[in-house]
Amino acid sequence: MMNANPRYLKRSATLVLLLLALSACTNKQLYKVGQSYQKSECERAALSDVQFKDCKNIEAKRFEEYERERQEALQTDKP
């Protein structure tokens, strides 16, 4: 579960700025960086060994699947 505390928001803002600074990267690379960050945050916030193991076992969606779903969502949002 994600927190809305100031430290989390500051880290999120930093991540967004970093991602924008890396705009020369491809979308696929940025997606992988984001997934890696999300997984490490999950592990960092884990309160028990069970939660930590659950975070370790998270399998990220393949970029191609993510991109297909994103394009479908963009198409359905158009009037």
Side-chain angles (χ1 to χ4, degrees):
M1 182 177 235
M2 294 192 172
N3 285 334
N5 66 37
R7 186 168 53 169
Y8 176 78
L9 294 175
K10 184 177 178 182
R11 285 180 183 224
S12 296
T14 302
L15 176 64
V16 169
L17 291 175
L18 177 64
L19 291 176
L20 290 174
L22 298 172
S23 61
C25 295
T26 66
N27 287 342
K28 187 173 187 175
Q29 290 168 323
L30 291 175
Y31 176 77
K32 287 183 178 184
V33 168
Q35 291 296 310
S36 177
Y37 177 79
Q38 186 177 16
K39 188 172 184 176
S40 66
E41 281 297 298
C42 178
E43 291 169 356
R44 184 192 62 75
L47 299 175
S48 69
D49 288 340
V50 172
Q51 287 178 339
F52 185 82
K53 288 177 185 175
D54 288 345
C55 292
K56 282 284 194 193
N57 293 328
I58 291 174
E59 289 297 321
K61 198 180 287 189
R62 287 183 44 236
F63 175 76
E64 292 75 17
E65 182 181 351
Y66 159 78
E67 184 63 20
R68 181 185 50 76
E69 289 176 4
R70 186 176 86 73
Q71 291 299 328
E72 287 175 1
L74 289 173
Q75 292 300 319
T76 58
D77 287 344
K78 290 183 180 179

